Amino acid sequence: MDALDGKKVLVVGGSSGMGEATAMLAAKARAKVTIAARGHDRLAAAAKRIGHGVEPVMLDALSDSSVDKFFADGTIWDHVVSCVGAGGRGSVRELDMTAAMAAMDGKFWAGFRIARRARIAADGSLTFVSGGLSQRPAAGAALISAINGALEKLSQGLALEMAPVRVNTVSPGPVDTPMWDRYGADMKQKFLESAAARVPLKRVAQPVEVAEIVLFFMTNRFVTGTVVPLDGGSTLA
Ligand SMILES: NC(=O)c1ccc[n+]([C@@H]2O[C@H](COP(=O)([O-])OP(=O)(O)OC[C@H]3O[C@@H](n4cnc5c(N)ncnc54)[C@H](OP(=O)(O)O)[C@@H]3O)[C@@H](O)[C@H]2O)c1
């Protein structure tokens, strides 16, 4: 993919899962890739796995000052991707307010912070990763639906505000990533199997399938304001 040759690509959340897969595809397409996240060791390990001279940099998208400092050098990025965030599962009556607000902060406001500070080339792009609960809300996940829906609407507003920079969102259903590791190997397997059973294609997505959409957003010069579901047909079921 010559369109990314030498381009400066920043993947916030690039040390794991869909972000790492995106960084890997962009690096293979000869982009100059920077991966940013909080954990030093995970960043270093991901940079080693990706190779191609990818640069790991510490950044906490929960922190105004961390984001401000990161972007203060004035680098003009060709493509910026935000795929950070987790948490927020639970019924509204049971969710602790601090945890609920942290989930919104770690995904919606994280994307907002990145959007307001990243300098992006006029022919470049900004991509968010939301999640399929925005299209199909579920009991016990109302907050996650709201966070993803808010992020998608933010990206559509930004597509108008930041034009000619293109702004898009990929909205995946369940994806087999390390995000689920926190539940332990058995629970992760059970969750992904039961999620797969509800998907018309009878499997969950792989991170590289999300990355392929992100690279499409980077390289197609007329796509903006778009939310692409990547859910194996779940929105129809
Ligand atoms: N996996 C799924 O089934 C699924 C489905 C739909 C949507 N999503 C969404 O897709 C996005 C990516 O998920 P994933 O499954 O790829 O997750 P993952 O494997 O856990 O990767 C998350 C990445 O984001 C980084 N990160 C988290 N908080 C950060 C912060 N405050 N500042 C900077 N980096 C941060 C993590 O590194 P550090 O923790 O070291 O910072 C890591 O690199 C998330 O928003 C998730 O909600 C996931």
Side-chain angles (χ1 to χ4, degrees):
M1 196 180 284
D2 289 347
L4 289 182
D5 197 350
K7 297 291 184 186
K8 284 187 186 154
V9 171
L10 170 64
V11 184
V12 185
S15 68
S16 178
M18 299 174 228
E20 179 178 341
T22 300
M24 178 80 83
L25 275 197
K28 281 185 181 163
R30 298 187 297 280
K32 288 182 196 159
V33 180
T34 298
I35 54 173
R38 294 165 302 178
H40 174 273
D41 293 353
R42 291 221 295 171
L43 271 169
K48 203 170 166 193
R49 285 192 295 273
I50 297 166
H52 297 278
V54 69
E55 192 185 352
V57 181
M58 304 271 282
L59 165 68
D60 184 358
L62 277 163
S63 154
D64 292 349
S65 60
S66 175
V67 173
D68 290 356
K69 194 172 151 204
F70 180 88
F71 289 109
D73 70 357
T75 296
I76 311 253
W77 299 94
D78 292 296
H79 304 286
V80 174
V81 183
S82 173
C83 50
V84 302
R89 200 166 286 274
S91 77
V92 289
R93 291 200 188 279
E94 285 160 8
L95 257 179
D96 171 76
M97 262 329 277
T98 307
M101 292 180 83
M104 190 63 145
D105 198 8
K107 187 156 182 175
F108 174 79
W109 289 114
F112 188 95
R113 285 184 189 98
I114 291 162
R116 71 194 284 269
R117 286 292 179 245
R119 298 182 65 190
I120 302 175
D123 60 351
S125 71
L126 171 62
T127 298
F128 297 104
V129 177
S130 60
L133 283 164
S134 59
Q135 276 94 45
R136 294 189 80 205
L143 176 62
I144 303 181
S145 303
I147 294 168
N148 288 321
L151 193 59
E152 290 169 7
K153 287 300 167 201
L154 174 70
S155 87
Q156 291 180 320
L158 290 177
L160 299 173
E161 201 169 300
M162 293 173 72
V165 172
R166 294 171 295 101
V167 187
N168 295 286
T169 300
V170 55
S171 182
V175 187
D176 186 357
T177 74
M179 187 183 88
W180 301 109
D181 290 353
R182 78 190 69 159
Y183 298 110
D186 285 354
M187 278 288 284
K188 174 178 179 176
Q189 195 187 343
K190 275 187 196 143
F191 172 81
L192 292 178
E193 278 172 8
S194 75
R198 293 191 296 275
V199 176
L201 293 185
K202 297 298 170 214
R203 67 175 179 87
V204 300
Q206 292 301 311
V208 68
E209 292 167 321
V210 178
E212 285 163 358
I213 303 280
V214 180
L215 261 72
F216 165 74
F217 288 152
M218 290 179 189
T219 54
N220 184 297
R221 301 283 293 274
F222 207 58
V223 64
T224 195
T226 304
V227 177
V228 172
L230 184 84
D231 62 4
S234 297
T235 30
L236 303 172

